[in-house]
Structures are given as C-alpha cells and as structure tokens.
DNA sequence: GCCGTACCGTACCGTACGTTACGGCGGGTT
DNA sequence: AACCCGCCGTAACGTACGGTACGGTACGGC
C-alpha cells in the first residue's frame, strides 16, 4: 500500500483529490461543457485513470460535487451564554456565511451543473447539492432556532417553517438571479448589510420581546 | 403574401408557433437534451425549415423561451377603491399566481435550460428568463406596492427592497429545490396557504396600521 | 535483476447530433 | 399547362466527445 494514501474519511488519495480540484476549477470556468480530456490535461493525468477512479463522466462529476461538499463542512455555533445578542449574532453570521457561499463562483457553478442534471434522468447531482445546500443549511440553523424558542426569545410552531422564512429573507432573489447570469455584484459590505436586515426582519416576525419597531427597517 | 400569416406582434406564423409549442413540450419532457431531429419529428416539420426559421439550435431555444414568455403576459390589478383589503387581496393573488407559475413543469424546465446556458458563453436564455421571470414580477408588483405607500398602508424607502423581501417571503426555498429535482408537491391548498402567510408576514414588516399581532402567524 | 502495479500520454473507435444538401410534392400564379 | 415556392422527409457530412486500448515509464517488492 502506498505511503501517500491519506484516505481520511473520504476514500480519496491525494492524487485523486488533486484531480477533483482540477475538475472543480474547470467546472467553474467552463461549466458543464468540461470534457474528460480537458480534466485529464488540466490534472496531468490520463483519461484511463479518470475512468478507473470514477467510472464514467457522471461519476467524476458526482465525486467532484461531493468533494466540494466535504470541504465546506460548516462551523457550528452554540455558545453557553445564550441571549438575544448571541441569537442575533448567530443569525447574522449565518446569513452572511450563506450569502458569501451562494454568491461564490464555485457555488454558482455547482448549482448550475446540478440543476442541469436534475432535468435529465440522473438526479444524483441535484440530490447531492440539495443535501449539501439548503438541507445542510436547515440542519445547521434549526438547533439555533430551537434554542431560541426554548429560551423564550423566539416563538413559532414549526421549526421548518421558521427556517424557510429565514431562508427567504436571506436569499430572496439573489440565488436565482446569479444562476440566470445576472451580475449583481455582492461585495462584503452589502452582504453584511443584507444579513443584518434579514435577521432584523426575522426577529420582527418571530421574536418575542424585541423592543424595536414592528417593521424591519435596520438602524 | 400568405393568407395565414398571423404575425400579431410576434413575427411568427401559425406554423412556427406550432413548432415552438412542440419544442416547448419536448423541453419539458427531455430538458436540454432535446435534439433538432426530435423537434422536427414532433412538429412534423423538416429540419431544413427549423434552420431556415430559427437559424440554429440556440435560435430555436431562444425563440421557444420568448414564445412562452409572450404567452404569460400577466394580468395587472389596480382597482380604484384601494384599501387594506384590496391590497391584501392583490398581494395574495400575486403570490399565489407566482407560486403556481414557479411550480409548473414549464417554468421548471425553462429555468433549468436557461440556468444551464447562463453557465456557457451564451447568456441569452438566462437574460430572457431573468427578464420575463423575476424582473417581470417586479415590474408588475411595484405599482401595487407604491400605491400602498401613497395611500399610507405601507411604509418603506426603496421599492426594490420591499419587492425583494416580498419575493423572498413568497418563494423561499421553493424554486431552488424544484430546480434541483426535489419533489415538494405543491398543491392548490398549500399554494393558497403560503400566499396568505407570505402576505401577512410582509404586512407585518411593512404595513402601517394593521391591528394584527406582530409576528406573522396566520389565523 | 526481474516482476507487478500504477500511472501517463496518445492514438483510436463508436456514436450522437448539429448542420447541410437533395429529391419530391402540393398549391398558388401566369 | 408550365412554373415557382415553400415545405416535408431523408440521406449524408463533419465533428466533438465519451469511452477503450496500448505502449512507455517509474517504483516498490522479492
């Protein structure tokens, strides 16, 4: 067995990870039009190896998407001292993170190819992106929401409904517009501003004893 | 000149419209994998005519998307007696319409192919869907919002911000999940319920003298 | 030194599909 | 009737690309 086999929980060798990184870069550059030949050339590997490692083109794409998903495992936030300030900070940080990811080249490219494949017979990529996108976001956020409810800061019946409302307030039309090719330059200050606005609006809808105005204007 | 040339504001003959309807149906069935041969067969026309009429494959797709966009010109709503009830009804109707369109097969298929093409060099389809999707929705809704502000029912500074918030409250994660292949059966009752919820939440955020609870729980 | 393994580079094959060309036909015009 | 025009159906062409095969190389094990 090779000494370089660092399979740490992904079943991939370093060489294969490099190949997937190359595929990821090509996916961002060329979208779904990337060819097996182009991946092999970019990664300086042979097509034979690509087929041996990943089976076929779809296997390569699937492995690439999963590899990227593995790299963005989120950072959980659950402090012990929990109050309105930490809840607000948690929501804002979450919203900002999500907007940053959404507006990144990699996310846009991956969602594009996954959406395309969801239309075909092969729903694999769509399911994977769904699992590591919206669903993963829900799994990460729901504990925070429930903690807010348990501590009397939030009031809602269905956690899922509350999450989806927060999702809507954060994402709005940003993702679909980016996917459709709209430029929509989202710089860091705009992201922070949007994160704060979405959080304030969410608290206005689901918060209990927030002493702010009823409508969601920030500052 | 032919007697059957009914070019009414689209520059298309009836025969060509039939062809585009066939292409639309194939787009829904097969997604972006539709071939020129399949369109010709479905529409019982020759490939030579397809190329003569639409130039090339992208021209056919573009014409198909525009043809569908032309068919869904919305119905504006601006009654003379304007009060909170009519504003609420207008927003609810709008939200329900939009959710119905979004969750339809045609919309999902068209957005899929447009998203795919936005990743390629050809941004045409993405721009068209953008123009006839989110942007058209904004153009249709903004007069209603501004009327609400003028009559003192709503309060906001930027119409665009208010619209985008309403968009987020209505659409939430529905569109991206559908595009990624999530089933998410949205029947008529669920659409009506979501439309009411989104409207109540929007009024809770931007309404002025609504005497309901601060949070957006419906009923 | 010899072998097996893993891999690179490249040439090759088969096919699908966009695009073009051609023969035939019906219907309107002169 | 003779002709033209638009269209259908189909055959043919060119190419791009997924997938495979093969020769060559480096390297670790015996």
């Amino acid at each position: 067995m090779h000494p370089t086999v660092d399979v740490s929980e992904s079943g991939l060798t370093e060489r294969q990870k490099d190949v997937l990184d190359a595929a990821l870069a090509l996916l961002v550059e060329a979208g779904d039009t990337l060819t097996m030949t182009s991946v092999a050339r970019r990664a300086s590997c042979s097509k034979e190896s690509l087929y041996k490692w990943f089976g076929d083109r779809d296997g390569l794409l699937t492995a690439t998407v999963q590899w990227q998903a593995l790299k963005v495992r989120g950072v959980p936030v659950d402090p012990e001292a929990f109050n309105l300030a930490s809840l607000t900070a948690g929501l804002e940080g979450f919203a900002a993170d999500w907007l940053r990811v959404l507006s990144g080249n990699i996310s846009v490219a991956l969602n594009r190819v996954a959406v395309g494949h969801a239309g075909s017979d092969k729903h694999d990529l769509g399911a994977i992106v769904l699992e590591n996108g919206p669903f993963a976001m829900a799994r990460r956020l729901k504990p925070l929401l429930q903690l807010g409810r348990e501590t009397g800061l939030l009031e809602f019946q269905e956690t899922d409904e509350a999450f989806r409302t927060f999702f809507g307030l954060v994402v709005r039309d940003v993702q679909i517009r980016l996917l459709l090719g709209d430029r929509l330059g989202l710089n860091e200050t705009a992201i922070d501003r949007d994160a704060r606005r979405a959080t304030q609006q969410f608290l206005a809808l689901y918060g209990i004893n927030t002493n702010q105005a009823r409508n969601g204007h920030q500052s």
Side-chain angles (χ1 to χ4, degrees), chain A:
Chain A
M1 190 174 281
H2 282 188
T4 64
V5 176
D6 183 12
V7 197
S8 67
E9 99 164 297
S10 69
L12 297 172
T13 68
E14 291 301 324
R15 185 79 185 95
Q16 290 167 349
K17 291 177 185 176
D18 293 341
V19 170
L20 292 183
D21 280 328
L24 207 50
L26 276 175
L27 216 53
V28 171
E29 295 174 17
D32 202 3
T33 68
L34 93 169
T35 68
M36 300 297 279
T37 305
S38 71
V39 174
R41 202 163 36 217
R42 173 73 66 103
S44 294
C45 76
S46 68
K47 285 168 66 175
E48 185 181 16
S49 299
L50 290 184
Y51 285 99
K52 168 180 290 191
W53 291 334
F54 307 108
D56 57 2
R57 187 174 184 275
D58 274 313
L60 173 63
L61 288 179
T62 303
T64 304
V65 173
Q66 284 176 324
W67 168 234
Q68 169 64 15
L70 203 69
K71 291 198 294 188
V72 291
R73 284 283 174 247
V75 278
V77 272
D78 37 2
E80 62 291 352
F82 196 76
N83 52 22
L84 179 58
S86 58
L87 172 63
T88 304
L91 291 176
E92 284 182 3
F94 207 92
D97 271 357
W98 192 241
L99 284 175
R100 254 187 294 272
V101 170
L102 270 195
S103 59
N105 287 331
I106 297 183
S107 170
V108 172
L110 258 51
N111 275 276
R112 283 212 181 112
V113 55
V115 163
H117 275 239
S120 163
D121 293 336
K122 307 184 172 302
H123 288 210
D124 298 343
L125 289 185
I128 293 173
V129 172
L130 208 50
E131 183 62 31
N132 295 281
F135 292 167
M137 186 199 177
R139 280 194 303 273
R140 286 172 54 195
L141 189 59
K142 282 180 180 175
L144 186 62
L145 296 179
Q146 285 166 341
L147 188 56
R149 180 169 60 177
E150 292 166 7
T151 55
L153 294 173
L154 298 177
E155 180 183 17
F156 51 82
Q157 289 160 7
E158 292 288 331
T159 308
D160 195 54
E161 286 296 309
F163 159 74
R164 297 180 70 194
T165 296
F166 187 66
F167 184 103
L169 288 172
V170 172
V171 176
R172 302 194 290 179
D173 58 356
V174 169
Q175 186 165 29
I176 187 62
R177 284 173 65 176
L178 287 174
L179 290 181
L180 286 174
D182 197 4
R183 288 299 173 232
L184 185 64
L186 217 56
N187 54 15
E188 196 63 23
T189 66
I191 286 180
D192 287 340
R193 177 162 29 86
D194 277 353
R196 276 198 298 275
R197 173 201 45 77
T199 300
Q200 289 307 312
Q201 288 177 329
F202 181 78
L203 289 176
L205 290 176
Y206 292 99
I208 292 261
N209 53 0
T210 66
N211 53 1
Q212 60 208 346
R214 198 188 70 257
N215 50 13
H217 297 166
Q218 67 277 17
S219 72

